[in-house]
Amino acid sequence: MRIELHGDVLELSELLNGTRQATLEGAGDGWVVTARIAWRIGLDAAVGEGELTLSRDGDELYATVVEGEASEAEDGSHTVSAVLDVDGGAGAFEGVSGRGTLRVTLNEETFTGALDLPQLR
């Protein structure tokens, strides 16, 4: 399953240790997505933590970030790619597990991207 996403960046902040974190809320293909993700740029660039909830018509899927990478463009936008560990849900996704990927490009106000969930069981 692939879902093209777009939405709002509710919060984008940079912590004192150089970690950036964003809270995202958006939609795609009839789904609503909320996510929180944190990453570092520079020599130790990596996605550190995050979680994602995908919902539609009472069905919900939950996932956590297990690894990823991030980059920053000259215009100040960020591209974040993360591997997700799907760890259950509700409704049609109750008891589901597997892996997926999230790739988003975001600025201070909006984001676009895609969520791929090909390995659910």
Side-chain angles (χ1 to χ4, degrees):
M1 173 167 66
R2 180 179 181 90
I3 302 168
E4 299 293 330
L5 300 170
H6 62 277
D8 297 321
V9 176
L10 301 181
E11 178 184 2
L12 178 61
S13 58
E14 183 172 350
L15 305 177
L16 292 175
N17 67 0
T19 299
R20 292 175 174 98
Q21 62 183 28
T23 303
L24 311 174
E25 186 175 273
D29 301 331
W31 293 94
V32 173
V33 65
T34 57
R36 186 192 57 78
I37 193 159
W39 68 94
R40 292 183 59 100
I41 301 291
L43 295 175
D44 60 347
V47 174
E49 62 182 46
E51 64 264 345
L52 177 137
T53 301
L54 183 67
S55 59
R56 175 173 74 182
D57 300 330
D59 297 325
E60 290 189 343
L61 178 129
Y62 313 121
T64 55
V65 171
V66 292
E67 65 182 353
E69 56 187 44
S71 62
E72 185 174 10
E74 287 185 25
D75 66 0
S77 65
H78 302 272
T79 299
V80 179
S81 298
V83 176
L84 304 170
D85 186 14
V86 176
D87 46 12
F93 293 111
E94 187 170 339
V96 169
S97 64
R99 285 279 169 111
T101 58
L102 173 68
R103 180 176 173 88
V104 294
T105 300
L106 59 112
N107 58 38
E108 292 183 9
E109 297 177 3
T110 62
F111 76 93
T112 59
L115 174 63
D116 289 298
L117 299 166
Q119 302 173 21
L120 297 181
R121 54 189 177 283

